Every structure is written in C-alpha cells, then in structure tokens.
Coordinates of all heavy atoms in Angstrom, one line a residue:
M200 N 0.8 -1.2 0.0 CA 0.0 0.0 0.0 C 0.9 1.3 0.0 O 1.9 1.3 0.7 CB -0.9 0.0 1.2 CG -1.9 -1.0 1.3 SD -3.2 -0.7 0.1 CE -4.2 -2.2 0.3
P201 N 0.5 2.3 -0.7 CA 1.3 3.5 -0.7 C 1.1 4.3 0.6 O 0.1 4.1 1.3 CB 0.7 4.3 -1.9 CG -0.7 3.8 -2.1 CD -0.7 2.4 -1.6
N202 N 2.1 5.1 0.9 CA 2.0 5.8 2.2 C 1.6 7.3 1.9 O 1.8 7.8 0.7 CB 3.4 5.8 2.9 CG 3.6 4.5 3.5 OD1 2.8 3.6 3.6 ND2 4.9 4.3 3.9
E203 N 1.2 8.0 2.9 CA 0.8 9.4 2.8 C 2.1 10.2 2.5 O 3.2 9.9 2.9 CB 0.2 9.9 4.1 CG -1.2 9.4 4.3 CD -2.3 10.1 3.5 OE1 -2.0 10.9 2.7 OE2 -3.5 9.7 3.7
I204 N 1.8 11.3 1.8 CA 2.9 12.3 1.6 C 2.8 13.4 2.6 O 1.7 13.9 2.9 CB 2.8 12.9 0.1 CG1 2.9 11.8 -0.9 CG2 3.9 14.0 -0.1 CD1 4.2 11.0 -0.9
C205 N 3.9 13.9 3.2 CA 3.9 14.9 4.2 C 3.4 16.2 3.5 O 3.9 16.6 2.5 CB 5.3 15.1 4.7 SG 5.4 16.5 5.9
I206 N 2.4 16.9 4.2 CA 1.9 18.1 3.6 C 2.9 19.3 3.7 O 2.7 20.3 3.1 CB 0.6 18.5 4.3 CG1 0.8 18.6 5.8 CG2 -0.5 17.6 4.0 CD1 -0.3 19.4 6.5
L207 N 3.9 19.1 4.5 CA 4.8 20.2 4.7 C 6.1 20.1 3.8 O 6.4 21.0 3.1 CB 5.2 20.3 6.2 CG 5.5 21.7 6.8 CD1 4.3 22.5 6.7 CD2 5.9 21.6 8.2
C208 N 6.7 19.0 3.9 CA 8.0 18.8 3.1 C 7.9 18.0 1.9 O 8.8 18.0 1.0 CB 9.1 18.2 4.0 SG 8.8 16.5 4.4
G209 N 6.7 17.3 1.7 CA 6.5 16.5 0.5 C 7.2 15.1 0.5 O 7.1 14.4 -0.5
E210 N 7.8 14.8 1.6 CA 8.4 13.4 1.7 C 7.3 12.4 2.0 O 6.3 12.7 2.6 CB 9.5 13.4 2.8 CG 10.7 14.3 2.6 CD 11.6 13.8 1.5 OE1 11.9 12.5 1.4 OE2 12.0 14.6 0.6
E211 N 7.6 11.1 1.6 CA 6.7 10.1 1.9 C 6.8 9.8 3.4 O 7.9 9.8 4.0 CB 7.1 8.8 1.1 CG 6.1 7.7 1.3 CD 6.4 6.5 0.5 OE1 7.2 6.6 -0.4 OE2 5.8 5.4 0.7
T212 N 5.6 9.7 4.1 CA 5.6 9.4 5.5 C 5.6 7.9 5.7 O 5.5 7.1 4.8 CB 4.3 10.0 6.1 OG1 3.2 9.2 5.7 CG2 4.2 11.5 5.8
A213 N 5.6 7.5 7.0 CA 5.5 6.0 7.3 C 4.0 5.6 7.5 O 3.8 4.5 7.9 CB 6.3 5.8 8.6
V214 N 3.1 6.5 7.2 CA 1.7 6.2 7.4 C 1.0 5.7 6.1 O 1.0 6.4 5.1 CB 0.9 7.5 7.9 CG1 -0.5 7.2 8.1 CG2 1.5 8.0 9.2
D215 N 0.5 4.5 6.2 CA -0.3 3.9 5.1 C -1.5 4.7 4.8 O -2.2 5.2 5.8 CB -0.7 2.5 5.4 CG -1.3 1.7 4.3 OD1 -2.4 2.1 3.9 OD2 -0.7 0.8 3.8
I216 N -1.9 5.0 3.5 CA -3.0 5.8 3.2 C -4.3 5.3 3.7 O -5.3 6.0 3.9 CB -3.1 6.2 1.7 CG1 -3.3 4.9 0.9 CG2 -2.0 7.0 1.2 CD1 -3.8 5.1 -0.5
N217 N -4.4 4.0 4.0 CA -5.6 3.4 4.5 C -5.7 3.4 6.0 O -6.7 2.9 6.5 CB -5.7 1.9 4.0 CG -5.9 1.9 2.4 OD1 -6.7 2.6 1.9 ND2 -5.0 1.1 1.8
T218 N -4.8 3.9 6.7 CA -4.8 4.0 8.2 C -5.9 5.0 8.6 O -5.8 6.2 8.1 CB -3.5 4.3 8.8 OG1 -2.5 3.4 8.3 CG2 -3.5 4.3 10.3
H219 N -6.8 4.7 9.4 CA -7.8 5.6 9.9 C -7.1 6.7 10.7 O -6.1 6.5 11.4 CB -8.8 4.9 10.8 CG -10.0 5.7 11.1 ND1 -10.0 6.7 12.1 CD2 -11.2 5.7 10.6 CE1 -11.2 7.3 12.1 NE2 -11.9 6.7 11.2
V220 N -7.6 8.0 10.5 CA -6.9 9.1 11.1 C -6.8 9.0 12.6 O -5.9 9.6 13.2 CB -7.6 10.5 10.7 CG1 -7.4 10.7 9.2 CG2 -9.1 10.5 11.1
D221 N -7.7 8.3 13.3 CA -7.7 8.2 14.7 C -6.5 7.4 15.2 O -6.1 7.4 16.3 CB -8.9 7.5 15.2 CG -10.2 8.3 15.2 OD1 -10.0 9.6 14.9 OD2 -11.3 7.8 15.4
Y222 N -5.9 6.6 14.2 CA -4.8 5.8 14.6 C -3.4 6.3 14.0 O -2.5 5.5 14.0 CB -5.0 4.3 14.1 CG -6.3 3.7 14.7 CD1 -7.5 3.7 14.0 CD2 -6.2 3.3 16.1 CE1 -8.6 3.2 14.6 CE2 -7.4 2.8 16.6 CZ -8.6 2.7 15.9 OH -9.7 2.2 16.5
R223 N -3.4 7.5 13.6 CA -2.2 8.1 13.0 C -1.5 9.0 14.0 O -2.1 9.6 14.9 CB -2.6 8.9 11.8 CG -3.1 8.1 10.6 CD -3.4 9.0 9.5 NE -4.0 8.3 8.4 CZ -4.0 8.8 7.2 NH1 -3.5 10.0 6.9 NH2 -4.6 8.2 6.2
T224 N -0.2 9.1 13.8 CA 0.6 10.1 14.5 C 0.9 11.2 13.4 O 1.3 10.9 12.3 CB 1.9 9.5 15.0 OG1 1.6 8.5 15.9 CG2 2.8 10.6 15.7
G225 N 0.8 12.5 13.8 CA 1.2 13.5 12.9 C 0.1 14.0 12.0 O 0.3 14.7 11.0
Y226 N -1.2 13.5 12.2 CA -2.3 13.9 11.3 C -2.9 15.2 11.9 O -3.3 15.2 13.1 CB -3.3 12.8 11.2 CG -4.4 13.2 10.3 CD1 -4.3 13.1 8.9 CD2 -5.7 13.7 10.8 CE1 -5.3 13.4 8.0 CE2 -6.7 14.0 9.9 CZ -6.5 13.9 8.5 OH -7.5 14.3 7.7
I227 N -3.0 16.2 11.1 CA -3.5 17.5 11.5 C -4.9 17.6 10.8 O -5.0 17.8 9.6 CB -2.6 18.7 11.1 CG1 -1.2 18.5 11.5 CG2 -3.2 20.0 11.7 CD1 -0.9 18.4 13.0
E228 N -6.0 17.7 11.7 CA -7.3 17.8 11.1 C -7.5 19.0 10.3 O -7.1 20.1 10.8 CB -8.3 17.7 12.3 CG -9.6 17.1 11.8 CD -10.6 17.0 13.0 OE1 -10.2 16.5 14.0 OE2 -11.8 17.3 12.8
G229 N -8.0 18.9 9.1 CA -8.2 20.1 8.3 C -7.0 20.4 7.4 O -7.0 21.3 6.6
A230 N -5.9 19.8 7.7 CA -4.7 20.0 6.9 C -4.2 18.8 6.2 O -4.0 18.7 5.0 CB -3.6 20.6 7.8
G231 N -3.9 17.7 7.0 CA -3.4 16.5 6.5 C -2.3 15.9 7.3 O -2.1 16.1 8.5
Q232 N -1.5 15.0 6.6 CA -0.5 14.2 7.3 C 0.8 14.8 7.3 O 1.3 15.4 6.3 CB -0.4 12.8 6.6 CG 0.5 11.8 7.3 CD 0.0 11.4 8.6 OE1 -1.2 11.0 8.8 NE2 0.8 11.5 9.7
L233 N 1.5 14.8 8.4 CA 2.9 15.3 8.5 C 3.8 14.0 8.7 O 3.4 13.0 9.2 CB 3.1 16.1 9.8 CG 2.4 17.5 9.8 CD1 2.6 18.1 11.2 CD2 3.0 18.4 8.7
C234 N 5.0 14.1 8.2 CA 6.0 13.1 8.4 C 6.5 13.2 9.9 O 6.2 14.3 10.5 CB 7.2 13.1 7.4 SG 8.3 14.5 7.7
I235 N 7.1 12.2 10.4 CA 7.5 12.3 11.8 C 8.5 13.4 12.1 O 8.5 14.0 13.1 CB 8.0 10.9 12.3 CG1 8.0 10.8 13.8 CG2 9.4 10.6 11.7 CD1 6.6 10.8 14.4
K236 N 9.3 13.7 11.1 CA 10.3 14.8 11.2 C 9.7 16.1 11.4 O 10.0 16.9 12.3 CB 11.3 14.8 10.0 CG 12.7 15.0 10.3 CD 13.6 14.7 9.1 CE 13.6 15.9 8.1 NZ 14.3 15.6 6.9
C237 N 8.7 16.4 10.5 CA 8.0 17.7 10.5 C 7.1 17.8 11.8 O 7.0 18.8 12.4 CB 7.1 17.9 9.3 SG 8.1 18.2 7.8
Y238 N 6.5 16.6 12.1 CA 5.6 16.6 13.3 C 6.4 16.9 14.6 O 6.0 17.7 15.4 CB 5.0 15.2 13.4 CG 4.1 15.1 14.6 CD1 2.9 15.8 14.6 CD2 4.4 14.3 15.7 CE1 2.0 15.6 15.7 CE2 3.5 14.1 16.8 CZ 2.3 14.8 16.8 OH 1.5 14.7 17.9
N239 N 7.6 16.3 14.7 CA 8.5 16.5 15.9 C 9.0 17.9 15.9 O 9.4 18.4 17.0 CB 9.6 15.5 15.9 CG 9.1 14.1 16.3 OD1 8.0 14.0 16.9 ND2 9.8 13.1 16.0
K240 N 9.2 18.6 14.8 CA 9.6 20.0 14.8 C 8.7 20.8 15.7 O 9.1 21.7 16.4 CB 9.7 20.6 13.4 CG 11.0 20.3 12.8 CD 11.0 21.1 11.4 CE 12.0 20.5 10.5 NZ 11.8 20.9 9.1
G241 N 7.4 20.5 15.5 CA 6.3 21.2 16.3 C 6.6 22.7 16.6 O 6.5 23.5 15.7
T242 N 6.9 23.0 17.8 CA 7.0 24.4 18.2 C 8.2 25.0 17.8 O 8.4 26.2 18.1 CB 6.9 24.5 19.8 OG1 7.8 23.6 20.4 CG2 5.5 24.1 20.2
D243 N 9.1 24.3 17.1 CA 10.3 24.9 16.5 C 10.0 25.9 15.4 O 10.7 26.8 15.1 CB 11.2 23.9 15.9 CG 12.2 23.3 16.9 OD1 12.2 23.8 18.1 OD2 13.0 22.4 16.6
R244 N 8.8 25.7 14.8 CA 8.4 26.6 13.7 C 8.2 28.0 14.2 O 7.7 28.2 15.3 CB 7.1 26.0 13.1 CG 7.4 25.5 11.7 CD 6.2 24.8 11.2 NE 6.4 23.4 11.3 CZ 5.5 22.6 11.9 NH1 4.4 23.0 12.4 NH2 5.8 21.3 11.9
Q245 N 8.6 28.9 13.4 CA 8.6 30.3 13.7 C 7.2 31.0 13.4 O 7.1 32.0 12.7 CB 9.7 31.1 13.0 CG 11.0 30.4 13.2 CD 11.9 31.2 14.2 OE1 11.9 32.4 14.1 NE2 12.6 30.5 15.1
H246 N 6.1 30.3 13.9 CA 4.8 30.9 13.6 C 4.0 30.9 15.0 O 4.3 30.1 15.9 CB 4.0 30.0 12.7 CG 4.6 29.9 11.3 ND1 5.3 28.8 10.9 CD2 4.6 30.8 10.3 CE1 5.7 29.0 9.7 NE2 5.3 30.2 9.3
I247 N 3.1 31.9 15.1 CA 2.2 31.9 16.2 C 0.8 31.8 15.7 O 0.5 32.0 14.6 CB 2.4 33.2 17.1 CG1 2.0 34.4 16.3 CG2 3.8 33.3 17.6 CD1 1.8 35.6 17.2
T248 N -0.1 31.5 16.6 CA -1.5 31.4 16.3 C -2.2 32.4 17.2 O -2.0 32.5 18.3 CB -2.1 30.0 16.7 OG1 -1.3 29.0 16.0 CG2 -3.5 29.9 16.3
I249 N -3.1 33.2 16.5 CA -3.9 34.2 17.3 C -5.3 33.8 17.2 O -5.8 33.1 16.3 CB -3.7 35.6 16.7 CG1 -4.1 35.7 15.2 CG2 -2.3 36.1 16.8 CD1 -4.5 37.1 14.8
P250 N -6.1 34.2 18.2 CA -7.5 34.0 18.2 C -8.2 34.7 17.0 O -7.9 35.8 16.7 CB -8.0 34.6 19.5 CG -6.8 34.7 20.4 CD -5.7 34.9 19.4
E251 N -9.1 33.9 16.3 CA -9.8 34.5 15.1 C -10.5 35.8 15.4 O -10.6 36.7 14.6 CB -10.7 33.4 14.6 CG -11.3 33.7 13.2 CD -12.2 32.7 12.7 OE1 -12.3 31.6 13.4 OE2 -12.8 32.9 11.6
R252 N -11.0 35.9 16.7 CA -11.9 37.0 17.0 C -11.1 38.3 16.9 O -11.7 39.4 16.8 CB -12.5 36.8 18.4 CG -11.5 36.8 19.5 CD -12.2 36.8 20.9 NE -11.2 36.6 21.9 CZ -10.4 37.5 22.4 NH1 -10.5 38.7 21.9 NH2 -9.5 37.2 23.3
F253 N -9.7 38.2 17.0 CA -8.9 39.5 16.9 C -9.2 40.2 15.6 O -9.3 41.4 15.6 CB -7.4 39.1 16.9 CG -6.8 38.9 18.3 CD1 -7.6 38.7 19.4 CD2 -5.5 39.1 18.5 CE1 -7.1 38.5 20.7 CE2 -4.9 38.9 19.8 CZ -5.7 38.6 20.9
I254 N -9.4 39.4 14.5 CA -9.6 40.0 13.2 C -10.9 40.8 13.2 O -11.0 41.8 12.6 CB -9.7 38.8 12.1 CG1 -8.5 37.9 12.2 CG2 -9.8 39.4 10.7 CD1 -7.1 38.5 11.9
K255 N -11.9 40.2 13.9 CA -13.2 40.9 13.9 C -13.3 42.0 14.9 O -14.0 43.0 14.7 CB -14.3 39.9 14.1 CG -14.4 38.9 12.9 CD -15.3 37.7 13.2 CE -15.3 36.7 12.1 NZ -15.6 35.4 12.5
D256 N -12.7 41.8 16.1 CA -12.8 42.7 17.2 C -12.0 44.0 16.9 O -12.3 45.0 17.5 CB -12.3 42.1 18.5 CG -13.3 41.0 19.0 OD1 -14.3 40.9 18.4 OD2 -12.9 40.4 20.0
Y257 N -10.9 43.9 16.1 CA -10.1 45.1 15.9 C -10.0 45.4 14.4 O -9.2 45.0 13.7 CB -8.6 44.8 16.4 CG -8.6 44.3 17.9 CD1 -8.2 43.0 18.2 CD2 -9.0 45.1 18.9 CE1 -8.2 42.6 19.5 CE2 -9.0 44.7 20.2 CZ -8.6 43.4 20.5 OH -8.6 42.9 21.8
P258 N -11.0 46.2 14.0 CA -11.1 46.6 12.6 C -10.0 47.5 12.1 O -9.7 47.5 10.9 CB -12.5 47.3 12.5 CG -12.8 47.8 13.8 CD -12.1 46.8 14.8
N259 N -9.4 48.2 13.0 CA -8.3 49.0 12.6 C -7.0 48.2 12.5 O -6.6 47.6 13.5 CB -8.2 50.2 13.6 CG -7.1 51.1 13.4 OD1 -5.9 50.7 13.4 ND2 -7.4 52.4 13.1
D260 N -6.3 48.2 11.4 CA -5.1 47.4 11.2 C -4.0 47.7 12.2 O -3.3 46.8 12.7 CB -4.5 47.6 9.8 CG -5.4 46.9 8.7 OD1 -6.3 46.2 9.1 OD2 -5.1 47.2 7.5
M261 N -3.9 49.0 12.6 CA -2.8 49.3 13.5 C -3.1 48.8 14.9 O -2.3 48.3 15.6 CB -2.7 50.9 13.6 CG -1.3 51.3 14.0 SD -1.1 53.0 13.6 CE -0.1 53.5 14.9
E262 N -4.4 48.9 15.3 CA -4.9 48.3 16.6 C -4.7 46.8 16.6 O -4.3 46.2 17.6 CB -6.4 48.7 16.7 CG -6.9 48.5 18.1 CD -8.4 48.8 18.3 OE1 -8.9 49.5 17.3 OE2 -8.9 48.5 19.3
L263 N -5.0 46.2 15.4 CA -4.9 44.7 15.3 C -3.4 44.3 15.5 O -3.1 43.4 16.3 CB -5.4 44.2 14.0 CG -5.2 42.8 13.6 CD1 -5.9 41.9 14.6 CD2 -5.6 42.5 12.2
G264 N -2.5 45.1 14.8 CA -1.1 44.8 14.9 C -0.6 44.9 16.4 O 0.1 44.1 16.9
S265 N -1.1 46.0 17.1 CA -0.7 46.2 18.4 C -1.2 45.1 19.3 O -0.5 44.6 20.2 CB -1.3 47.5 18.9 OG -1.5 47.6 20.2
K266 N -2.5 44.6 19.1 CA -3.0 43.5 19.9 C -2.3 42.2 19.6 O -2.0 41.4 20.5 CB -4.5 43.3 19.6 CG -5.4 44.4 20.2 CD -5.3 44.4 21.7 CE -6.0 45.6 22.2 NZ -5.9 45.7 23.7
V267 N -1.9 41.9 18.3 CA -1.1 40.7 18.0 C 0.2 40.8 18.7 O 0.7 39.8 19.3 CB -0.9 40.6 16.5 CG1 0.1 39.5 16.1 CG2 -2.3 40.3 15.8
R268 N 0.9 41.9 18.7 CA 2.2 42.0 19.3 C 2.0 41.8 20.9 O 2.8 41.1 21.5 CB 2.8 43.4 19.0 CG 4.2 43.6 19.7 CD 4.9 44.8 19.1 NE 5.4 44.5 17.8 CZ 5.3 45.3 16.7 NH1 4.6 46.4 16.8 NH2 5.8 44.9 15.6
E269 N 1.0 42.4 21.5 CA 0.8 42.3 22.9 C 0.5 40.8 23.2 O 1.1 40.2 24.2 CB -0.5 43.1 23.3 CG -0.8 43.1 24.7 CD -2.1 43.8 25.0 OE1 -2.3 44.9 24.4 OE2 -3.0 43.3 25.7
F270 N -0.3 40.1 22.4 CA -0.6 38.7 22.6 C 0.6 37.9 22.5 O 0.9 37.0 23.3 CB -1.6 38.3 21.5 CG -2.0 36.8 21.6 CD1 -3.0 36.4 22.5 CD2 -1.5 35.9 20.7 CE1 -3.4 35.1 22.6 CE2 -1.9 34.6 20.8 CZ -2.8 34.2 21.7
Y271 N 1.5 38.2 21.5 CA 2.8 37.5 21.3 C 3.6 37.6 22.6 O 4.1 36.6 23.1 CB 3.5 38.1 20.1 CG 4.9 37.6 20.0 CD1 5.2 36.3 19.6 CD2 6.0 38.5 20.3 CE1 6.5 35.9 19.4 CE2 7.3 38.1 20.1 CZ 7.6 36.8 19.7 OH 8.9 36.4 19.6
Y272 N 3.8 38.8 23.1 CA 4.7 39.0 24.3 C 4.1 38.4 25.5 O 4.8 37.9 26.4 CB 5.0 40.5 24.5 CG 6.1 40.9 23.5 CD1 5.8 41.9 22.5 CD2 7.3 40.3 23.5 CE1 6.8 42.3 21.6 CE2 8.3 40.7 22.6 CZ 8.0 41.7 21.6 OH 9.0 42.0 20.7
N273 N 2.7 38.4 25.6 CA 2.1 37.8 26.8 C 2.0 36.2 26.7 O 2.0 35.6 27.8 CB 0.7 38.3 27.0 CG 0.7 39.8 27.4 OD1 1.7 40.2 28.0 ND2 -0.4 40.5 27.1
S274 N 2.0 35.7 25.5 CA 1.7 34.2 25.4 C 3.0 33.4 25.0 O 3.1 32.3 25.4 CB 0.7 34.0 24.3 OG -0.4 34.8 24.5
Y275 N 3.9 34.0 24.3 CA 5.0 33.2 23.8 C 6.3 33.6 24.4 O 7.3 32.9 24.1 CB 5.0 33.4 22.2 CG 3.9 32.8 21.5 CD1 2.7 33.5 21.3 CD2 4.0 31.4 21.1 CE1 1.6 32.9 20.7 CE2 2.9 30.8 20.5 CZ 1.7 31.5 20.3 OH 0.7 30.9 19.6
K276 N 6.4 34.6 25.1 CA 7.8 35.0 25.6 C 7.8 35.0 27.1 O 6.8 35.0 27.8 CB 8.1 36.5 25.2 CG 8.4 36.5 23.7 CD 9.7 35.8 23.4 CE 9.9 35.5 21.9 NZ 11.0 34.7 21.5
Ligands
ZN455 ZN1 7.6 16.4 6.4

C-alpha cells in the first residue's frame, strides 16, 4: 500500500493511506498528514496562532497589529 505524503515537506511518510486518522501520528485535522520529522519539529516553527476574534474585534489594522504584538509577548515570551 502507498504511504501518505507529508503536507509540509513533500516526503513520503510512514503512514499507510488506508490507516484511519484516529490511529495516526502527525495527522492534523483540516490540513493532512505530517511526516515524523515535521511533526516533531512542532513548536520549533517560527509561527504563532492568534484567536480568530482578533480579526473581527479590531477593525483598525494598527490596533490589530498592536494586539497581535501584545498577545505574542504575553503568550509566547
Ligand atoms: Zn515532512
């Protein structure tokens, strides 16, 4: 059986395409399968996640930027 391809790096993963998602490691719902290398990188990635409501609550871009920066310093540092 063929294996899944990593959605991040494009390498073949160790996960058979017929494996149910509940029994997989590195499967991200709504995105797809990660290889073990990309999965283990996890928080090494230089990205943050902000609450979606920030976009709606702060219609002014400058205010939004300020809130994102504040969130970053309060949550990630
Ligand atoms: Zn990968």
